[in-house]
Amino acid sequence: MQAESPSHSDTGRATVPGQRGPGPDPSVTDAVAVAATLGVDPALGLTSAEAARRLATDGPNELRSVPAVPLWRKILAQFQDPLIYLLLVAVVISLVAWVVEGAHGLPIDSIVITAVVVLNAVLGFVQENKAENAVAALAQMTAAASTVLRDGRLTSVPSAELVRGDVLVLGEGDSVGADARLLRASALRVAEASLTGESEAVLKDPAVLAEPAPLGDRLNMVFKGTAVAQGTGRAVVTGTAMDTEMGSIAQMLDATVEEASPLEKDLNGVSRLLGLTVIVIAIVVMVVTAVVNQVSTPSEFVTVLLLGVSLAVAAVPEGLPAILSVVLAIGVQRMARQNAVVKRLHSVETLGSASVIASDKTGTLTKNEMTVERVVTASGRVDLTGVGYAPVGEALTEGLPVTDPALLHEARMVLGGGSLSNDAQLTETGGTWQIQGDPTEAAFLVAAYKLDGTRDAVAEFQREAEVPFTSERKRMTTQQFRASEDARGIVTKGAPDVLLGLCNRVQVGEGVVELTAQRRAQALADVEDLSAEALRTLGVAYRRLDENDDDILDESDERDLIYLGVVGIIDPPRPEAAVAVAQAHRAGIRTIMITGDHPSTAARIAADLGIVASGARAVTGSELDELDDVGLRDVAREVSVYARVAPKNKNDIVDALQADGQVVAMTGDGVNDAPALKSADIGIAMGITGTEVTKEASKMILGDDNFATIVSAVRQGRVIFENIKKFLRYLLSSNMGEVFTVFLGVVFAGAIGLADASTDAVVVPLLATQILWINLVTDSGPALAMGVDPEVDDVMARRPRPLTEKIIDPRMWIGILTIGLVMGLITLLTIDIFLPGGMIAGGEDSLEVARTAGFTTLVLAQLFNAFNSRSETTSAFSHAFTNRWLWGAVLLAIVLQLAIVEIPFLQVAFGTASLDLAHWLVCLAMASSVLWFDEVRKVVLRAKDARRA
């Protein structure tokens, strides 16, 4: 049932779009009176001066968009992240410590951390700005123009410059630029699927309506965002911009709440956990250190405070926000190259988490190209191969070329007759076939190419008159003249049951026989068979005219017709859509079709695509209206095809799926899809056929309107999520290694010889600048390389990640902590090896050399850990050489570590000392322990997984 327009009131009065205050509903008002109210002469249109005045007063004919975010807010938004807050706190503590210590030199710790915060903000700002520019460019590509009558002359103006009172001149293929009241129409049919979801073009009639009607039944109105499929007309603009039906639906978006992505929620949780961990660890270590070392002087308190800062720096992966922004930005760029423009970086991962893709049918799952699939006549049936508007295919019967002369002749007459009683055009431009006019009529023109001789026969006729199609008549008739025979005839095309009522004979081969009751019953049975296969049916009939017929063609001539046959027409599924649906199914993603089309058609297409099994039912919008929340949730859980739905139904379906714990990706092109797109976890708008409202409501725009592109984006989203887990595993385990090194180094300073190696009250195993070097230089390169790691495992072979599953699960946390502990222990053992007075005898080096060896061991251990972190369970030696960026990052980190250890001015800055070959070999051997330990751990995990499976 068609939902009533929001502009109607109970009194039948409404606000006339574009007028100030209430006024008469233009659909129940005479067109001349509407024009007079708007101050325009329908024969001349507005003057250019008056149009300019109204444009200046009312503003452009554009839907209200979200106000532009000021530059300062965009920049400030980059700092609104819990991890950034932690880093800013570390900056403040570092500055305070630097001031208390005497403010000597530069506050290097504060400067480095601040630089990281600024770098992250710049990366985030630049990438989000790039995404906005891509969307803006797409909007410019789809800008429309309208033909209007101004100063008594026809002129083309941008649709954004239409004003109230403009006289629109409509023709086939035109986009309707504003809501308007028809002044006159000739066989005018308008495709309103973008507004109502109804795939059939609506025949328009300028006559005054007796009473206010639902949107789809306002036959004397045309609406912004719709398109003229056939015929011509003129209409006076009654509403522009937000004062249109499209604007009414756009206003619904303001009340829709937008959810944060699962990745954003998870990382916020990780950030909070890290924050609490840092606070607890720092406080505990500072208190323990102060008590154990009996700290009493201000200088010693500053040292303890610096130790707390060092731990904070060690625990927080400073490079994480920047790396995350870069990885997501790279994902955005990859998707853009695959015709998917993502408007927000975090939406990339959300799509990878999708468990349901709710898709519109027309143009997304189907080609939106009506195709004659079958011709049924008295002598049998002919199947036509080929889909779409490209006139390529052949005529077959039971899989073989048609050889029956009678059947061939009848099929040619059916397709020829349908091509004659036709107002569509088929043209080729640059190798691409395009149509103008009604897609159903164009299907006859394409089919005529597939049966040899049909087009040549059609070319011999010339149209002389017509009785146009109306929804009441359900048929169209044209009068044709054939010069070669100096003969005239009429051809009628329409609903088969109506047409059969006007026929008394039937074509059989090249002859004509009486249409007996038996033959009539067979013809109706043929129609039923086609309808049962969800094919749209159109019958064709004809009659020769003689001297007894009137010269003027009218309905009275539609009598004693000769029935030719019936065609079955379908909007064919995209061939790649079926493959994409199968891939989605394999990945545990359920595909749902939501359309305004007929239930049987929707069910047939869904079955052809593999969305549902053959024979599955489609639930209609009226059925959904009768359900409560529990019933709706039960239906949404089981049913995958919805037909004849209204905008509210789409929202309800999305809400029910989300309430059931699903992550919903909703696709659509029409204005009626927009509220559901915004409510969905990720709304996906069509870039070619999508309306301005849907593009604004969406988080992603498809450049090619192809369902297969969505599944490709899902794969990319999953790969990105896996890569995020990889570098999180790497960064956090590496940082835990630093935390354990500092914490255990302070607690066991006496045992490993640190306490005796210096006269300072507090001795730390690593300096704050060394920790920063590890986090910002050594860690960042491998982490970035893992962010672009190729797909190692088949990500589409696993089910979607549940909403309740954290990005870092318990198993991953255990791995992070155990690897971190191993790193800390081998780092401290390395220091012990080279220091005298520790647990391991034989050390003779200075504190600077031993600390440098420990520092180097930790750096190398983290580089080994980079290969570990590519998988939770797969060996580091598997696919070891598929990521050349990772190898490059590791080699660069080694070169930089050599530089910081051996170059004098860097030794001064970072407190390092030169190491000889023996030291380097010991560091390398100790660091490799991380690799071997993790290999053993993975063997155990694989064995557990195998037993569980």
Side-chain angles (χ1 to χ4, degrees):
M1 183 176 67
Q2 175 63 51
E4 192 154 314
S5 166
S7 64
H8 284 298
S9 67
D10 293 336
T11 62
R13 305 281 288 179
T15 299
V16 176
Q19 288 189 346
R20 301 185 184 280
D25 182 338
S27 67
V28 296
T29 307
D30 182 74
V32 175
V34 172
T37 302
L38 293 167
V40 62
D41 181 348
L44 299 174
L46 296 173
T47 64
S48 297
E50 176 62 16
R53 186 192 69 78
R54 295 188 183 193
L55 182 62
T57 301
D58 298 343
N61 177 34
E62 296 173 339
L63 298 180
R64 181 181 65 228
S65 59
V66 177
V69 178
L71 179 63
W72 67 270
R73 281 194 174 181
K74 289 183 178 179
I75 295 174
L76 186 62
Q78 305 305 319
F79 296 93
Q80 295 174 350
D81 183 280
L83 281 175
I84 299 298
Y85 301 154
L86 287 175
L87 294 179
L88 293 176
V89 170
V91 170
V92 173
I93 293 175
S94 299
L95 280 174
V96 171
W98 176 69
V99 171
V100 170
E101 202 173 31
H104 300 300
L106 294 174
I108 295 177
D109 293 355
S110 300
I111 291 173
V112 174
I113 299 173
T114 302
V116 171
V117 172
V118 173
L119 176 62
N120 173 73
V122 170
L123 284 171
F125 175 79
V126 169
Q127 294 302 331
E128 290 192 9
N129 196 51
K130 281 183 179 179
E132 290 177 4
N133 291 340
V135 174
L138 196 58
Q140 287 183 347
M141 291 169 58
T142 57
S146 297
T147 302
V148 296
L149 188 65
R150 286 186 183 172
D151 302 312
R153 299 190 304 272
L154 294 180
T155 184
S156 178
V157 300
S159 294
E161 297 179 9
L162 291 176
V163 297
R164 292 174 300 109
D166 258 330
V167 176
L168 282 176
V169 180
L170 303 171
E172 291 181 3
D174 287 348
S175 176
V176 180
D179 285 8
R181 172 67 163 86
L182 280 174
L183 297 167
R184 66 173 189 247
S186 175
L188 181 66
R189 300 178 72 189
V190 179
E192 296 182 343
S194 64
L195 195 63
T196 66
E198 179 61 53
S199 60
E200 284 281 358
V202 179
L203 181 69
K204 294 295 182 177
D205 185 347
V208 179
L209 299 183
E211 59 183 6
L215 181 62
D217 295 331
R218 286 180 229 164
L219 303 182
N220 58 6
M221 298 288 296
V222 290
F223 304 103
K224 178 179 174 67
T226 60
V228 178
Q230 181 183 27
T232 60
R234 292 195 178 189
V236 59
V237 173
T238 57
T240 60
M242 295 301 290
D243 293 321
T244 60
E245 293 298 336
M246 183 182 284
S248 297
I249 296 181
Q251 290 174 2
M252 294 168 59
L253 299 179
D254 296 338
T256 309
V257 178
E258 195 166 337
E259 291 284 331
S261 77
L263 178 62
E264 290 172 310
K265 295 174 183 176
D266 268 359
L267 289 183
N268 287 340
V270 171
S271 299
R272 286 191 294 270
L273 180 61
L274 283 175
L276 291 173
T277 303
V278 167
I279 293 171
V280 171
I281 291 177
I283 291 175
V284 169
V285 170
M286 286 190 291
V287 170
V288 169
T289 303
V291 171
V292 170
N293 294 280
Q294 298 180 348
V295 172
S296 59
T297 67
S299 176
E300 291 173 346
F301 275 115
V302 169
T303 302
V304 172
L305 186 60
L306 280 173
L307 176 62
V309 173
S310 298
L311 278 173
V313 171
V316 179
E318 289 85 353
L320 177 57
I323 293 169
L324 182 62
S325 294
V326 170
V327 170
L328 290 175
I330 291 172
V332 167
Q333 293 165 358
R334 285 180 175 176
M335 287 187 177
R337 288 194 292 269
Q338 297 173 2
N339 292 312
V341 178
V342 177
K343 294 164 64 176
R344 292 181 65 242
L345 296 182
H346 285 277
S347 298
V348 175
E349 181 275 335
T350 311
L351 186 61
S353 299
S355 56
V356 175
I357 300 177
S359 176
D360 192 21
K361 175 183 73 69
T362 305
T364 309
L365 292 166
T366 65
K367 295 171 68 70
N368 196 22
E369 297 178 355
M370 303 302 292
T371 303
V372 174
E373 190 174 89
R374 189 165 301 151
V375 182
V376 181
T377 66
S379 298
R381 81 177 196 184
V382 174
D383 296 317
L384 299 179
T385 63
V387 295
Y389 295 138
V392 178
E394 56 182 335
L396 304 174
T397 181
E398 296 183 357
L400 300 174
V402 182
T403 56
D404 182 353
L407 181 57
L408 273 174
H409 183 74
E410 293 162 12
R412 286 195 188 101
M413 292 192 71
V414 170
L415 297 180
S419 299
L420 290 171
S421 186
N422 199 309
D423 289 322
Q425 294 181 9
L426 178 67
T427 58
E428 183 183 16
T429 305
T432 302
W433 290 86
Q434 299 175 330
I435 69 155
Q436 285 188 329
D438 185 85
T440 302
E441 293 197 331
F444 275 97
L445 302 183
V446 176
Y449 275 86
K450 301 176 183 179
L451 206 56
D452 292 340
T454 306
R455 292 183 63 250
D456 294 336
V458 170
E460 297 180 14
F461 291 87
Q462 179 180 350
R463 183 188 296 193
E464 295 183 327
E466 73 172 278
V467 181
F469 177 93
T470 69
S471 56
E472 292 79 19
R473 287 167 28 80
K474 297 184 179 180
R475 62 187 183 275
M476 170 187 182
T477 296
T478 61
Q479 180 175 308
Q480 304 286 338
F481 173 70
R482 191 174 192 177
S484 62
E485 297 181 2
D486 191 24
R488 287 177 170 80
I490 62 172
V491 180
T492 303
K493 176 177 93 276
D497 55 338
V498 173
L499 211 57
L500 282 165
L502 303 173
C503 296
N504 57 15
R505 290 165 292 167
V506 60
Q507 188 80 28
V508 179
E510 297 189 12
V512 175
V513 300
E514 179 185 356
L515 183 61
T516 62
Q518 183 179 358
R519 287 187 178 275
R520 187 183 301 274
Q522 181 59 51
L524 289 172
D526 292 337
V527 173
E528 287 297 321
D529 290 342
L530 293 176
S531 298
E533 296 182 50
L535 295 174
R536 187 174 299 169
T537 58
L538 278 177
V540 182
Y542 79 104
R543 179 171 71 86
R544 290 180 178 270
L545 298 177
D546 54 35
E547 62 276 4
N548 296 323
D549 290 295
D550 296 333
D551 292 335
I552 299 176
L553 181 68
D554 57 28
E555 288 188 48
S556 64
D557 293 304
E558 296 172 337
R559 54 180 170 76
D560 301 329
L561 299 179
I562 302 169
Y563 183 70
L564 290 172
V566 62
V567 298
I569 304 175
I570 194 168
D571 180 8
R574 288 178 178 266
E576 65 273 22
V579 176
V581 168
Q583 289 177 345
H585 180 73
R586 188 172 68 90
I589 301 170
R590 180 179 165 210
T591 302
I592 289 177
M593 178 191 291
I594 305 177
T595 179
D597 218 330
H598 192 277
S600 62
T601 302
R604 156 74 190 275
I605 295 294
D608 286 350
L609 291 171
I611 295 174
V612 295
S614 180
R617 74 185 185 102
V619 172
T620 64
S622 57
E623 291 177 278
L624 293 175
D625 290 335
E626 298 174 359
L627 300 174
D628 58 15
D629 290 344
V630 176
L632 184 61
R633 195 178 304 175
D634 290 339
V635 169
R637 192 180 295 127
E638 300 296 332
V639 177
S640 295
V641 184
Y642 301 88
R644 297 295 194 207
V645 293
K648 179 181 179 299
N649 298 135
K650 296 189 177 187
N651 248 339
D652 291 342
I653 293 168
V654 170
D655 290 344
L657 289 166
Q658 290 174 325
D660 203 33
Q662 304 297 325
V663 178
V664 182
M666 170 73 186
T667 76
D669 55 359
V671 178
N672 58 316
D673 297 325
L677 290 191
K678 191 170 183 181
S679 290
D681 295 285
I682 180 162
I684 308 169
M686 302 297 108
I688 299 174
T689 59
T691 59
E692 185 179 344
V693 174
T694 54
K695 291 174 186 175
E696 187 167 326
S698 68
K699 293 184 178 72
M700 190 175 89
I701 301 174
L702 293 184
D704 58 359
D705 290 10
N706 194 335
F707 183 84
T709 302
I710 302 170
V711 178
S712 175
V714 168
R715 176 184 290 274
Q716 185 63 38
R718 289 191 175 191
V719 169
I720 289 171
F721 180 75
E722 284 300 306
N723 289 346
I724 290 172
K725 290 190 71 170
K726 291 175 186 178
F727 72 68
L728 277 175
R729 185 184 297 116
Y730 169 68
L731 287 176
L732 293 179
S733 58
S734 297
N735 281 62
M736 285 300 102
E738 297 159 30
V739 169
F740 281 120
T741 298
V742 174
F743 178 74
L744 297 177
V746 171
V747 173
F748 299 104
I752 63 175
L754 269 178
D756 298 333
S758 174
T759 58
D760 294 336
V762 179
V763 183
V764 293
L766 295 176
L767 301 177
T769 51
Q770 292 173 346
I771 294 172
L772 281 173
W773 173 266
I774 295 172
N775 283 9
L776 305 180
V777 180
T778 307
D779 286 356
S780 298
L784 275 172
M786 275 184 277
V788 295
D789 207 27
E791 181 182 348
V792 177
D793 301 317
D794 185 0
V795 296
M796 298 298 277
R798 62 186 70 160
R799 301 191 66 78
R801 181 174 66 96
L803 282 175
T804 54
E805 181 182 309
K806 301 297 183 183
I807 190 169
I808 305 178
D809 56 26
R811 173 186 276 191
M812 187 169 165
W813 273 120
I814 292 172
I816 288 170
L817 293 173
T818 53
I819 293 298
L821 180 59
V822 170
M823 285 188 192
L825 292 176
I826 62 174
T827 300
L828 295 176
L829 284 174
T830 302
I831 293 174
D832 191 5
I833 288 171
F834 295 113
L835 277 180
M839 294 183 297
I840 302 175
E844 298 178 353
D845 290 304
S846 66
L847 174 60
E848 288 73 19
V849 171
R851 181 184 281 152
T852 301
F855 170 41
T856 301
T857 298
L858 184 56
V859 167
L860 295 176
Q862 293 189 4
L863 296 180
F864 277 114
N865 188 41
F867 295 97
N868 291 340
S869 301
R870 295 182 68 203
S871 174
E872 183 73 37
T873 57
T874 301
S875 170
F877 297 100
S878 177
H879 308 286
F881 298 99
T882 57
N883 189 343
R884 57 189 177 90
W885 294 107
L886 180 57
W887 279 99
V890 168
L891 292 175
L892 177 61
I894 292 173
V895 170
L896 291 173
Q897 186 64 21
L898 280 167
I900 201 174
V901 169
E902 303 298 338
I903 297 177
F905 78 90
L906 291 177
Q907 290 175 341
V908 173
F910 290 92
T912 59
S914 294
L915 301 177
D916 59 26
L917 181 60
H919 286 86
W920 278 101
L921 291 175
V922 170
C923 293
L924 183 63
M926 294 295 288
S928 69
S929 303
V930 172
L931 176 63
W932 308 122
F933 173 84
D934 203 46
E935 284 297 304
V936 173
R937 188 182 69 88
K938 289 179 178 180
V939 169
V940 174
L941 290 178
R942 288 197 297 270
K944 286 184 177 179
D945 290 344
R947 285 196 299 271
R948 188 179 298 115

